[in-house]
């Protein structure tokens, strides 16, 4: 599903040049659950953003679902992204001015889904994330775990084939983290490919494979036995 | 999509009440000013356009130069109408207006003075759209001594009676039959007439032969307003092209004899109000003021719009997260742009609604200020309202464009990392916007100061005579004119009356002009010289200075026959230098050796008087000549100099004496200085308009500054907290926060100086007597902007600086 060749990402700020990714070669297959680990600043989020088509690599190739996308324009990336990829972030990233329902509905608005259909799908997703009773609340009125469940509902609303999660449990206590991990695992079992950045070994244990990044390089790839 | 958008919009607005309020108030006030100005401008532009034929109606004016002195007048000779109709196939009809001055009307026991009446040809109602409520428009003015009244006058004299056929007594011995009632002329008419006498009346007074005379001399007296209705598809230029042949035929011979050159002026009816710069014209508008007002409206709107941009971008870091999230979940750039555009358009449309309501409430006040009767309604002014809706949308697009483009360009990765990406990048632009706001404000402040100073200056400058405490009244009664000496004696019995004098022209309003001959090395030369016929007490009453020679004297009877007092300008113009006294001067010339009116007077200069402004201050002092006469015909204006105390009693006394002398005409008076102020009414009005609008523009700009500074203070709360913990004083922190704004205001003022200087010099150059633009004006402007700016910023800064540092540090 995803294939990278000698991926390089260099950030230039004024005089400083940071090489966040250096010759990353990676292959992720459909249905996999991959965890990316590594010390802070080693380029995990950068990699995730590039895979998630939020950013373009400086050099190298990126294949997504058979398309070669590293030179896509912002418009092309957005089109591909909104159909295929869902995101979950450490800091939830919900819009404060929108209710739970409206936040989850957002991706469908940009996909021009009809009102009735939107309503059905949002309710279904909220049901599934066990947060339907909070549909009319605003994000600040929810606990962190609840907010992350809303974020996951939003990530899955468009039935993406790939979910990218950047430290999804980073801001949660262990109970809530556990719940979020259960949801992700469940999604993976239903066929969604998941790539997750995490610092937590126990979360990483849920994955099929762990990719260790260090200073922009992949150091090890650990195949794990499917649980 | 729409629903979602409006939801975000309203939640955003209500969560940021402070900023939303500042924006809405700023935009509303800006729109209020614009709508008011627009209504004003639209009204000014609509003058005389209510006439169905207005595009085919032209007015004939005269541009003539007599002995080097050029005059451009709105009037033309009496025979122009009929001869033009004969000579030029383009002309369909003509109509002439000849003003008649103030007259007393009488019906039964109702007796009043009426103004704005003219003798007109009967074609007036076919050419102009002056609808008749009663009477036949074709016949109403065909008979001598018929009169058409407007509705107001008809009501005033005849209440509910039918006025048609009634006899109205006019003046001392004329009786007119009312033959029609017309609707009051609309306020956007350059004509102000309340009634029309038939032109036939003049014909019967003067005799048909003389009235219809096409003798050369009749072509050289410009005492009519002549209007022509052109045939469809005819061009006024065609008449101008053919005019030289006409001139050759009717005017050239005598013109050459008199040494006059003549040019025809053709004005379209629609241009008269705003673009006519002729003498003897009705009080008109001025296209310059239209430009000035339009510029002010644009200024104020741009200040309000900049406020919006400033605050929207200043708050962009708060909105950036939302943009990032929307992009991550699939929003294209245009989705984001559309969202922010719609947001600003909704805001401006909302502001427009508020503005329309406020305009409705403010119109009576504004009407008073501009002396108009403007209304705002879908019925009367649909185009104004439509225009404003479009304007609001455009304003929204404009205001929203920068925030929208800026915010939509934010990359999602930047935001999701918790960084604000390019948070500082728009700092420069924000500064630029603040500078441009304060540049405009500074220009408005300097404008106000200059316009007000010029106005004060014209009111208080040394005009060469003392205009204080002089009661003036027009003497219409010819009997009273013969009894002036007795009236003077009676008036002077009151100790509060210092002097009484008469003159033919009222000082400050120009005078009469006629051809003179003056002595020069090359013999007697012609010159068209202004003159005023005064009495022996006039110069003393006016406290004018005689520089050389002597005043007229009762003791020297020949003074009334052959003595002249000229002003300094005349002595200089005639190259008399120091030797003006005794020079020969002749008033009037004989035509073909004949003294037509018996008015030629040859004499010598007995005095030179210090220049005084007998014309409005819009004109430089021209050479002039004073003549003393005992002919009652010249005693048209009565001047009574009174004590500045006990005014009321003195006026009552004058009135009492007047009534004794002239029981059938009531005493109408005004003070000379008040009368002279009327000349500067446009300037006075402009002063007010400038002051009000500049105040508003500063207000809007400070509101923006207030919003911006509170935002910046808020953003720097943490920094301030840290500084405070490290020992910075409140004063130091306030300085830190305000320093930047002070710099911006100073820069804005520096930019404004040359622009203001240029614009204001251009405005002042129209006035021959004007103030000079001193440095002090810009210094005062700077101080005013700084005080206002500092006051606005300092409060927010002080609040931020004096808050509890612990709280501040915790602030996220
Ligand atoms: N926009 C940017 N401009 C400049 N440098 C950047 C930018 N984004 C990331 N970097 C740099 O690239 C490197 C990788 O950053 P990245 O965010 O991918 O690290 P990370 O592994 O996700 O760290 P963490 O575990 O702390 O989230 C870091 O050195 C970071 O400073
Ligand atoms: Mg990271």
């Amino acid at each position: 599903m995803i294939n990278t060749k000698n991926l390089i990402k260099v950030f230039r700020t004024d005089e400083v040049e940071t090489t966040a990714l250096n010759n990353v070669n990676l292959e992720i297959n459909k249905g996999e659950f991959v965890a990316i680990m590594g010390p802070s600043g080693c380029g995990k989020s950068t990699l995730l953003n590039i895979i998630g088509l939020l950013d373009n690599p400086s050099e190298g190739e990126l294949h997504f679902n058979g398309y070669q996308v590293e030179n896509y324009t912002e418009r092309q990336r957005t089109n591909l992204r909104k159909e295929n990829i869902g995101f979950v972030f450490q800091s939830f990233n919900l819009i404060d001015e929108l209710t739970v329902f409206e936040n989850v509905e957002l991706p469908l608005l940009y996909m021009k889904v009809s009102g009735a259909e939107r309503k059905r799908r949002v309710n279904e997703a909220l049901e599934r994330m066990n947060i339907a009773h909070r549909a009319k609340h605003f994000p600040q009125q929810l606990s962190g775990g609840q907010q992350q469940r809303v974020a996951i509902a939003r990530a899955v609303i468009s039935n993406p084939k790939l979910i990218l999660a950047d430290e999804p449990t980073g801001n949660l206590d262990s109970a809530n983290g556990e719940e979020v991990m259960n949801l992700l695992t469940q999604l993976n079992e239903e066929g969604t490919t998941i790539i997750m950045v995490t610092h937590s070994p126990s979360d990483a244990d849920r994955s099929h494979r762990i990719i260790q990044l260090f200073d922009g390089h992949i150091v090890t790839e650990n195949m794990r036995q499917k649980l | 999509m729409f629903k979602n958008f409006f939801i975000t919009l309203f939640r955003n607005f209500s969560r940021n009440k402070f900023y939303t309020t500042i924006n809405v108030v700023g935009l509303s006030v800006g729109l209020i000013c614009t709508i008011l100005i627009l209504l004003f401008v639209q009204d000014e532009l609509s003058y005389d356009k209510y006439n169905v034929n207005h595009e085919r109606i032209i007015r004939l004016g005269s541009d003539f130069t007599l002995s080097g002195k050029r005059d451009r007048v709105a009037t033309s000779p009496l025979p122009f109408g009929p001869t033009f109709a004969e000579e030029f196939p383009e002309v369909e009809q003509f109509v002439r207006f000849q003003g008649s001055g103030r007259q007393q009307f009488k019906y039964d026991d109702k007796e009043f003075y009426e103004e704005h009446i003219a003798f007109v040809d009967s074609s007036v109602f076919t050419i102009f759209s002056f609808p008749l409520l009663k009477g036949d428009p074709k016949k109403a003015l065909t008979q001598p001594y018929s009169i058409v009244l407007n509705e107001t006058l008809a009501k005033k004299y005849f209440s509910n009676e039918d006025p048609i056929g009634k006899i109205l007594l006019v003046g001392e011995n004329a009786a007119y039959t009312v033959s029609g009632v017309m609707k009051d002329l609309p306020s956007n008419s350059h004509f102000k007439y309340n009634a029309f006498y038939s032109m036939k009346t003049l014909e019967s007074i003067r005799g048909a032969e003389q009235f219809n005379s096409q003798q050369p001399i009749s072509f050289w007296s410009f005492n009519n307003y002549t209007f022509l209705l052109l045939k469809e598809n005819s061009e006024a230029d065609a008449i101008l092209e053919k005019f030289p042949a006409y001139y050759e035929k009717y005017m050239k011979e005598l013109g050459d004899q008199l040494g006059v050159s003549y040019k025809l002026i053709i004005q379209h009816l629609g241009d008269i109000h705003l673009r006519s710069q002729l003498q003897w014209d009705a009080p008109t508008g001025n296209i310059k003021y239209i430009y000035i007002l339009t510029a002010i409206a644009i200024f104020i709107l741009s200040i309000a719009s900049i406020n919006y941009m400033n605050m929207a971008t200043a708050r962009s870091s708060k909105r950036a997260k939302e943009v990032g999230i929307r992009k991550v979940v699939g929003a294209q750039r245009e989705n984001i742009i559309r969202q922010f555009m719609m947001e600003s358009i909704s805001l401006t449309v909302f502001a427009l609604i508020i503005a329309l309501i406020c305009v409705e409430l403010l119109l009576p006040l504004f009407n008073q200020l501009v002396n108009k009767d403007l209304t705002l309604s879908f019925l009367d002014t649909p185009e104004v309202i439509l225009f404003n809706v479009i304007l609001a949308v455009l304003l929204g697009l404009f205001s929203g464009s920068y925030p929208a483009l800026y915010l939509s360009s934010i990359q999602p990765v930047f935001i999701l990392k918790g960084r604000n990406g390019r948070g500082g990048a728009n700092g420069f632009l924000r500064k630029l916007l603040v500078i441009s706001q304060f540049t405009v404000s500074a220009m408005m402040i300097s404008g106000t100061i200059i316009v007000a100073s010029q106005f004060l200056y014209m009111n208080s400058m040394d005009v060469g005579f003392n205009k204080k405490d002089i009661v003036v009244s027009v003497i219409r009664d010819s009997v009273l004119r013969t009894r002036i000496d007795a009236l003077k004696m009676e008036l002077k019995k009151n100790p509060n009356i210092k002097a009484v004098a008469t003159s033919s022209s009222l000082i400050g309003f120009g005078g009469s002009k006629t051809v003179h001959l003056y002595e020069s090395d090359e013999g007697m030369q012609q010159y068209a010289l202004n003159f005023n016929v005064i009495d022996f007490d006039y110069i003393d009453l006016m406290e004018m200075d005689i520089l050389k020679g002597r005043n007229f004297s009762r003791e020297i009877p020949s003074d009334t026959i052959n003595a002249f007092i000229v002003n300094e300008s005349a002595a200089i113009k005639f190259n008399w230098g120091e030797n003006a006294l005794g020079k020969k001067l002749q008033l009037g010339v004989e035509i073909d050796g004949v003294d037509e009116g018996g008015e030629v007077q040859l004499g010598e200069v007995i005095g030179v008087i210090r220049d005084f402004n007998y014309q409005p201050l819009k004109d430089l002092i021209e050479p002039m000549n004073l003549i003393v006469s005992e002919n009652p015909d010249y005693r048209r204006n009565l001047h009574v100099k009174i004590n500045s105390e006990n005014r009321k009693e003195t006026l009552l006394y004058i009135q009492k004496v007047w009534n004794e002398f002239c029981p059938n005409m009531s005493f109408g008076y005004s003070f000379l200085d008040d009368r002279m102020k009327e000349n500067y009414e446009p300037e006075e009005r402009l002063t007010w308009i400038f002051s009000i609008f500049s105040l508003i523009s500063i207000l809007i700009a400070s509101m923006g500054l207030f919003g911006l500074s509170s935002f910046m203070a808020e953003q720097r709360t943490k920094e301030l907290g840290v500084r405070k913990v490290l020992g910075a004083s409140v004063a130091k922190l306030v300085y830190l926060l305000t320093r930047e704004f002070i710099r911006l205001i100073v820069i804005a003022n520096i930019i404004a100086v040359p622009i203001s200087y240029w614009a204001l010099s251009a405005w002042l150059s129209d006035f021959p007597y004007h103030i000079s633009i001193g440095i002090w004006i810009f210094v005062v402007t700077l101080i005013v902007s700084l005080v206002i700016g500092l006051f606005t910023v300092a409060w927010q800064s002080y609040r931020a600086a004096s808050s509890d540092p612990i709280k501040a540090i915790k602030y996220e």
Side-chain angles (χ1 to χ4, degrees):
Chain A
M1 181 180 212
I2 291 159
N3 204 334
T4 73
K5 278 201 196 115
N6 299 328
L7 213 56
I8 297 178
K9 180 69 182 177
V10 180
F11 291 109
R12 287 187 184 83
T13 44
D14 298 331
E15 287 112 48
V16 196
E17 254 188 31
T18 318
T19 307
L21 295 176
N22 202 351
N23 283 318
V24 172
N25 290 294
L26 186 71
E27 184 161 352
I28 290 166
N29 296 314
K30 221 173 162 182
E32 262 195 297
F33 188 159
V34 178
I36 301 177
M37 298 187 75
S40 185
C42 69
K44 303 182 294 291
S45 299
T46 306
L47 180 60
L48 208 63
N49 288 337
I50 290 174
I51 294 174
L53 305 177
L54 291 174
D55 207 354
N56 270 342
S58 310
E59 273 174 55
E61 287 176 22
L62 173 63
H63 296 265
F64 184 95
N65 256 349
Y67 301 103
Q68 191 171 343
V69 298
E70 72 270 3
N71 288 323
Y72 267 31
T73 61
E74 193 189 335
R75 162 176 303 279
Q76 289 171 310
R77 282 188 273 132
T78 304
N79 279 332
L80 204 57
R81 184 171 68 232
K82 70 179 169 190
E83 306 279 338
N84 296 297
I85 309 174
F87 287 88
V88 179
F89 303 94
Q90 177 180 359
S91 53
F92 322 132
N93 279 330
L94 300 173
I95 295 178
D96 296 337
E97 282 76 25
L98 299 181
T99 60
V100 165
F101 184 97
E102 289 152 5
N103 265 291
V104 175
E105 186 188 25
L106 209 54
L108 300 181
L109 287 172
Y110 293 114
M111 292 167 71
K112 305 213 158 60
V113 175
S114 78
E117 168 82 359
R118 286 203 305 266
K119 196 167 179 188
R120 193 184 58 71
R121 279 167 70 172
V122 172
N123 282 329
E124 195 183 287
L126 290 175
E127 242 18 284
R128 218 175 133 191
M129 299 301 143
N130 209 2
I131 194 86
H133 58 295
R134 296 295 191 130
K136 292 211 167 70
H137 287 83
F138 288 97
Q140 283 97 337
Q141 298 167 310
L142 304 181
S143 73
Q146 288 169 327
Q147 288 192 43
Q148 198 60 300
R149 265 147 51 203
V150 175
I152 297 174
R154 183 181 63 190
V156 301
I157 193 76
S158 55
N159 294 323
K161 295 170 193 73
L162 173 65
I163 287 184
L164 300 176
D166 196 343
E167 299 182 43
T169 60
N171 278 359
L172 302 175
D173 59 31
S174 55
N176 276 312
E178 191 64 22
E179 199 176 341
V180 164
M181 285 315 299
N182 287 341
L183 284 169
L184 288 177
T185 311
Q186 196 187 335
L187 284 168
N188 177 246
E189 280 161 3
E190 289 162 13
T192 313
T193 312
I194 293 182
I195 306 175
M196 175 180 75
V197 169
T198 184
H199 286 293
S200 146
S202 68
D203 287 353
D205 276 348
R206 306 261 193 152
S207 67
H208 306 158
R209 175 154 65 118
I210 298 174
I211 297 174
Q212 284 284 347
L213 270 186
F214 186 79
D215 213 4
H217 300 274
I218 295 179
V219 280
T220 50
E221 281 192 58
N222 259 5
M223 289 307 283
R224 295 174 53 83
Q225 214 53 33
K226 202 171 182 177
L227 291 172
Chain B
M1 186 82 221
F2 264 109
K3 192 174 139 230
N4 175 275
F5 151 71
F6 276 110
I7 288 167
T8 342
L9 177 75
F10 284 114
R11 292 199 191 128
N12 243 316
F13 285 173
S14 60
R15 280 180 196 199
N16 298 291
K17 285 197 189 77
F18 175 65
Y19 297 105
T20 311
T21 310
I22 287 186
N23 274 328
V24 171
V25 170
L27 289 168
S28 301
V29 174
L31 283 168
I32 290 171
C33 298
T34 313
I35 297 171
L36 289 175
I37 288 175
L38 217 70
L39 283 171
F40 177 88
V41 168
Q42 193 225 18
D43 182 73
E44 287 284 295
L45 294 177
S46 77
Y47 261 67
D48 296 317
K49 309 264 165 72
Y50 64 89
N51 286 293
V52 180
N53 295 329
H54 77 87
E55 280 172 345
R56 289 162 56 206
I57 301 176
I58 57 170
R59 185 174 73 181
L60 303 179
S62 303
D63 175 351
F64 58 96
T65 308
L66 178 57
S67 22
K69 172 77 179 93
R70 183 173 180 200
D71 280 292
R72 291 162 53 81
V73 297
T75 50
S76 49
L78 195 60
F80 264 22
T83 47
F84 270 59
E86 253 168 56
E87 300 281 343
F88 301 110
E90 290 81 7
V91 179
E92 188 168 308
Q93 283 194 64
F94 69 89
V95 59
R96 294 164 297 183
F97 295 75
Q98 194 170 129
S100 93
R102 231 166 88 109
Q103 297 245 277
Q104 192 170 37
F105 279 18
K106 187 169 182 227
Y107 177 75
D108 272 357
D109 53 342
K110 289 179 194 131
E111 191 179 333
F112 306 95
Y113 276 103
E114 300 300 346
E115 272 178 309
H116 302 300
I117 316 156
F119 293 95
V120 294
D121 290 301
S122 61
S123 52
V124 64
F125 298 116
T126 22
I127 295 175
F128 292 98
S129 306
F130 302 159
L132 283 195
L133 301 169
K134 293 207 170 82
D136 179 349
K138 291 223 163 56
K139 293 195 192 125
L141 291 174
T142 49
Q143 297 304 314
Y145 292 100
S146 44
I147 185 170
V148 171
L149 301 174
N150 72 4
E151 219 179 335
T152 310
L153 285 188
K155 281 235 169 65
K156 186 166 162 189
Y157 288 93
F158 302 101
S159 331
N160 298 324
E161 290 178 67
D162 183 3
I164 301 291
K166 296 274 172 0
I167 306 290
L168 194 69
L169 297 175
V170 174
E172 288 156 58
N173 43 25
Y176 283 83
T177 311
V178 179
S179 58
V181 176
M182 63 178 175
K183 268 178 91 166
D184 289 4
L185 298 186
S187 59
N188 59 351
S189 171
H190 89 276
F191 295 114
K192 301 292 170 212
Y193 295 120
N194 296 322
F196 292 132
Y197 306 127
S198 61
M199 193 57 100
K200 282 277 177 220
T201 317
L202 270 191
E203 189 174 334
S204 86
I205 293 173
R206 292 195 198 152
E209 195 170 328
Q210 209 221 315
F211 181 82
N212 294 318
S213 157
Q214 294 189 3
Q215 292 299 305
I217 188 73
S218 337
F219 284 86
W220 288 99
S221 124
F222 311 114
N223 46 11
N224 281 269
Y225 297 101
T226 309
F227 288 85
L228 303 178
L229 176 66
L230 300 181
K231 290 191 181 132
E232 305 267 6
N233 304 321
S234 292
E235 288 297 328
D237 285 349
I239 296 180
L240 272 184
E241 272 161 33
K242 288 184 259 179
F243 184 73
Y246 175 99
Y247 184 76
E248 188 86 24
K249 181 169 172 188
Y250 292 100
M251 300 174 76
K252 190 169 188 305
E253 198 183 330
L254 183 57
D256 289 350
Q257 245 183 69
L258 296 172
V260 197
S261 68
Y262 183 92
K263 266 196 237 127
L264 180 68
I265 299 175
I266 290 188
Q267 289 173 308
H268 288 271
L269 179 62
D271 287 341
I272 290 177
H273 178 65
L274 286 176
R275 295 170 197 275
S276 175
Q277 298 278 343
L278 305 181
Q279 302 170 52
W280 304 117
D281 210 343
T284 52
N286 188 337
I287 193 80
K288 263 194 193 164
Y289 290 163
I290 300 288
Y291 295 145
I292 292 177
L293 283 173
T294 311
I296 290 178
I298 293 171
F299 281 173
I300 292 183
L301 266 192
S302 47
I303 290 180
S305 158
I306 287 175
N307 269 358
Y308 181 86
M309 292 193 221
N310 257 340
M311 271 185 276
T313 50
R315 285 172 50 240
S316 62
S317 60
K318 291 202 164 175
R319 297 299 297 275
K321 182 183 154 201
E322 179 193 331
V323 172
I325 295 169
R326 285 180 186 271
K327 280 197 166 181
V328 167
V329 302
Q332 293 284 12
R333 193 167 177 202
E334 64 259 26
N335 297 119
I336 307 289
I337 291 180
R338 200 176 309 141
Q339 180 191 346
F340 283 102
M341 287 293 201
M342 297 271 279
E343 208 165 279
S344 62
I345 291 172
S346 318
L347 204 73
T348 47
V349 169
F350 180 54
L352 175 68
I353 294 168
I354 295 178
L356 286 172
I357 295 169
C358 294
V359 165
E360 201 59 57
L361 298 173
L362 286 173
L363 258 183
L365 249 158
F366 184 70
N367 276 332
Q368 236 172 31
L369 178 67
V370 299
N371 195 19
K372 278 190 190 293
D373 194 17
L374 304 172
T375 52
L376 177 74
S377 71
F378 283 102
L379 283 179
D380 298 338
T381 50
E383 64 280 7
V384 171
I385 292 185
L386 192 75
F387 183 86
N388 274 290
V389 172
I390 295 172
L391 187 75
V393 172
L394 286 179
L395 186 66
L397 280 175
F398 179 68
S399 311
S401 58
Y402 175 67
L405 290 176
Y406 171 70
L407 280 168
S408 68
S409 72
I410 290 175
Q411 292 296 316
V413 267
F414 287 100
I415 300 137
L416 301 177
K417 281 192 169 130
R419 294 178 195 148
N420 291 336
R422 298 178 276 164
N426 58 0
F428 174 71
L429 202 110
R430 206 148 60 216
K431 281 176 199 164
L432 212 69
L433 291 175
V434 171
I435 290 176
S436 55
Q437 281 186 312
F438 274 84
T439 304
V440 170
S441 297
M443 282 160 56
M444 297 283 286
I445 299 173
S446 327
T448 310
I449 299 175
I450 289 281
V451 173
S453 319
Q454 172 66 15
F455 173 63
L456 285 176
Y457 172 75
M458 286 197 297
N459 258 323
S460 62
M461 74 176 260
D462 176 12
V463 286
F465 59 92
N466 186 350
K467 63 188 173 186
K468 292 254 149 49
D469 301 318
I470 297 176
V471 178
V472 290
S473 177
V474 182
I475 308 171
R476 292 175 205 283
D477 188 303
S478 49
V479 182
L480 181 58
R481 284 184 189 173
T482 61
R483 298 177 62 205
I484 289 295
D485 289 335
L487 179 78
K488 277 186 181 176
M489 293 249 282
E490 197 59 35
L491 285 173
K492 279 203 219 146
K493 282 184 186 161
N494 186 316
N496 281 320
I497 293 181
K498 295 181 184 165
V500 185
T502 62
S503 70
S504 58
S505 313
L506 186 60
I507 199 164
F509 290 83
S512 313
K513 176 180 278 190
T514 193
V515 181
H516 283 61
L517 297 178
Y518 67 91
E519 184 181 335
S520 79
D521 294 343
E522 290 96 47
M524 296 301 272
Q525 300 264 329
Q526 275 194 7
Y527 188 80
L529 190 60
N530 285 294
F531 71 99
N532 193 4
V533 185
I534 59 173
D535 66 9
F536 291 107
D537 303 311
Y538 186 82
I539 290 177
D540 289 337
L541 181 142
M542 288 292 175
E543 298 169 34
M544 294 166 171
D545 296 333
I546 296 199
L547 301 174
K548 277 195 203 87
R550 61 173 177 88
N551 194 350
F552 296 120
S553 164
R554 280 197 176 81
E555 326 292 289
I556 306 170
S558 62
D559 274 2
T560 58
I561 308 164
N562 60 15
F564 298 109
I565 294 178
V566 297
N567 67 357
E568 281 173 280
S569 298
I572 293 165
K573 177 83 200 174
F574 300 154
N575 270 325
W576 288 341
E578 297 297 303
N579 313 313
L581 296 183
K583 292 284 185 201
K584 293 229 168 335
L585 192 62
Q586 177 180 318
L587 174 119
V589 287
E590 294 99 351
I591 294 168
D592 296 335
V594 183
D595 176 5
E596 286 238 350
E599 291 187 345
V600 172
Q601 190 173 327
L602 174 68
E604 57 185 44
V605 174
I606 61 157
V608 176
I609 199 160
R610 186 159 77 93
D611 275 348
F612 59 93
N613 296 86
Y614 59 95
Q615 289 159 311
L617 296 185
K618 286 159 198 157
D619 301 312
L620 279 175
I621 297 175
E622 293 175 350
M624 85 148 338
N625 177 22
L626 291 170
I627 300 149
V628 74
S629 168
E630 303 215 286
N631 181 345
D633 286 350
Y634 293 119
R635 295 171 174 168
R636 282 198 280 264
N637 296 287
L638 179 72
H639 306 71
V640 184
K641 176 89 177 182
I642 63 172
N643 209 323
S644 54
E645 278 122 52
N646 305 325
R647 271 187 170 204
K648 227 180 188 159
E649 293 79 34
T650 315
L651 279 169
L652 278 174
Y653 177 77
I654 301 173
Q655 177 149 22
K656 200 191 91 201
V657 174
W658 176 283
N659 287 340
E660 280 164 21
F661 275 80
C662 185
N664 56 341
M665 284 205 192
S666 56
F667 174 62
Y669 72 92
S670 45
F671 280 94
L672 183 62
D673 47 357
D674 291 342
R675 283 296 301 278
M676 290 178 65
K677 261 189 207 158
E678 288 168 19
N679 278 328
Y680 320 120
E681 215 188 73
E683 285 69 41
E684 186 171 16
R685 213 165 271 161
L686 192 69
T687 307
W688 277 106
I689 290 174
F690 247 120
S691 325
I692 290 172
F693 285 134
S694 62
L695 198 80
I696 289 171
S697 68
I698 294 166
L699 199 86
I700 304 179
S702 340
M703 262 176 13
L705 201 60
F706 185 73
L708 206 59
S709 65
S710 44
F711 175 79
M712 307 264 253
E714 189 183 307
Q715 260 199 334
R716 293 172 75 173
T717 311
K718 194 166 177 179
E719 178 201 333
L720 293 176
V722 173
R723 282 176 189 270
K724 214 167 168 184
V725 170
L726 296 177
S729 67
V730 171
K732 189 122 198 187
L733 294 180
V734 171
Y735 169 71
L736 189 77
L737 284 169
T738 49
R739 181 177 58 185
E740 184 61 24
F741 288 111
I742 296 174
R743 236 187 53 192
L744 298 183
I745 292 174
V746 171
I747 294 173
N749 269 274
I750 293 171
I751 297 173
V753 169
I755 310 174
S756 311
Y757 187 87
W758 170 77
L760 293 168
S761 316
W763 182 72
L764 284 175
S765 69
D766 274 4
F767 299 91
Y769 300 97
H770 60 74
I771 53 171
S772 54
I773 306 178
I775 295 276
W776 69 270
I777 285 160
F778 301 111
V779 174
V780 171
T781 304
L782 176 66
I783 292 172
V784 172
S785 346
L786 274 180
V787 167
I788 295 174
L790 269 184
F791 188 76
T792 318
V793 174
W795 186 70
Q796 282 299 334
S797 309
Y798 176 76
R799 243 181 36 155
S802 58
S803 63
D804 182 357
I806 307 299
K807 258 194 215 153
I809 289 174
K810 277 191 191 152
Y811 174 89
E812 277 292 327

